[in-house]
């Protein structure tokens, strides 16, 4: 679970920096990277939800 949280934090930092570049400097490539990162975040958040439910049942 700790490793998953570290992955989530790292991916969110990547997403945040790319999204900021897209907004501030209208960097199209950064927008593409941010969208890709958002998909990875979605996958990691689903995994977190699954693990969290398993932990709460113990």
């Amino acid at each position: 679970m700790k490793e998953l949280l570290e992955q989530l934090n790292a991916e969110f930092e990547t997403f945040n920096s790319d999204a900021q570049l897209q907004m501030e400097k209208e960097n199209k490539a950064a927008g593409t990277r941010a969208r890709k990162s958002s998909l990875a975040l979605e996958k990691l958040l689903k995994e977190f939800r699954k693990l969290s439910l398993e932990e709460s049942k113990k």
Side-chain angles (χ1 to χ4, degrees), residues 11-40:
E11 194 64 45
F12 185 76
E13 287 177 20
T14 301
F15 167 77
N16 193 30
S17 66
D18 286 334
Q20 289 295 325
L21 281 173
Q22 181 187 16
M23 283 183 5
E24 293 170 0
K25 299 185 179 184
E26 298 180 11
N27 185 329
K28 290 181 181 181
T32 301
R33 291 191 304 270
R35 289 190 297 276
K36 182 177 178 184
S37 227
S38 71
L39 293 174

Side-chain angles (χ1 to χ4, degrees):
M1 183 89 144
K2 184 178 180 178
E3 184 179 311
L4 180 61
L5 286 174
E6 290 171 358
Q7 287 176 334
L8 270 167
N9 284 330
E11 194 64 45
F12 185 76
E13 287 177 20
T14 301
F15 167 77
N16 193 30
S17 66
D18 286 334
Q20 289 295 325
L21 281 173
Q22 181 187 16
M23 283 183 5
E24 293 170 0
K25 299 185 179 184
E26 298 180 11
N27 185 329
K28 290 181 181 181
T32 301
R33 291 191 304 270
R35 289 190 297 276
K36 182 177 178 184
S37 227
S38 71
L39 293 174
L41 277 170
E42 181 181 20
K43 181 179 175 184
L44 289 170
L45 287 169
K46 285 181 182 181
E47 183 65 26
F48 173 79
R49 186 172 190 279
K50 179 181 169 185
L51 288 175
S52 179
L53 285 171
E54 288 174 6
E55 289 290 323
S56 68
K57 290 180 183 180
K58 290 183 180 179

